[in-house]
Amino acid sequence: MQEFDVPKLEPRVYEIADESSDGKLKSILLLEDDTAFAETLRDAMEIFGYSVAVVPTGAEGVQQILAKDFDAIVCDMVMPNFPGDMFYKAVERTRPHLCERFIFITGHQGDHKVVEFIKGTGRIGLWKPFEMRQLFGAIESVTSSK
């Protein structure tokens, strides 16, 4: 029988998201066009106590931000028809106070335009594949500065 080396997994501890001062769960808007990935992220965030709205396009994201303030916005950069940079600019024009709550996610680390845009906003950028602890750290950073 062949034996395999099994790596030892380090335990990770995540804090359950605190409720906002008004007693409501912290709300997150997730813009991600990959349905399976969006479901994975939503499920993880909900397990840790966040209220999550998921939309696949920037156009639907604009409808969401016009209807409600979110504590954090996790935004994919490359989506069909209405990508993350266009969504960010729409938020800048319509609800500028929400711009400080952005976390950009992308698998296009080699795309100079994407990298420069994220750097230019001064917001957090996570490169896919990222670890969930990175996402939760980014959310904590954005929501604790509110």
Side-chain angles (χ1 to χ4, degrees):
M1 182 185 305
Q2 187 177 11
E3 290 185 34
F4 296 94
D5 287 333
V6 178
K8 292 185 180 178
L9 296 175
E10 295 291 323
R12 293 201 172 125
V13 177
Y14 298 102
E15 291 184 26
I16 301 297
D18 293 333
E19 291 182 353
S20 321
S21 59
D22 61 2
K24 294 181 183 175
L25 296 177
K26 290 183 179 176
S27 62
I28 299 174
L29 175 60
L30 171 62
L31 290 91
E32 172 59 62
D33 62 312
D34 179 329
T35 306
F37 187 54
E39 287 176 12
T40 299
L41 293 178
R42 183 199 65 224
D43 290 348
M45 289 186 277
E46 287 179 346
I47 286 170
F48 286 95
Y50 296 104
S51 169
V52 184
V54 181
V55 295
T57 68
E60 290 174 74
V62 169
Q63 292 172 346
Q64 289 289 317
I65 62 111
L66 289 175
K68 161 182 184 172
D69 276 0
F70 288 88
D71 296 305
I73 299 170
V74 179
C75 180
D76 187 15
M77 281 298 298
V78 179
M79 297 177 288
N81 303 322
F82 203 128
D85 58 343
M86 287 176 63
F87 174 67
Y88 182 83
K89 289 174 184 174
V91 172
E92 231 176 8
R93 286 189 299 276
T94 58
R95 307 290 300 272
H97 66 283
L98 294 178
C99 287
E100 65 193 30
R101 303 178 191 177
F102 267 76
I103 300 163
F104 292 105
I105 58 175
T106 186
H108 296 268
Q109 187 172 1
D111 186 323
H112 180 72
K113 282 180 157 180
V114 168
V115 172
E116 289 304 310
F117 177 80
I118 294 171
K119 283 183 182 178
T121 65
R123 306 298 169 221
I124 298 171
L126 298 177
W127 309 111
K128 296 176 187 175
F130 50 82
E131 294 181 18
M132 292 307 287
R133 69 177 175 78
Q134 293 172 300
L135 177 60
F136 288 127
I139 291 170
E140 178 62 28
S141 173
V142 168
T143 58
S144 66
S145 65
K146 275 186 42 184

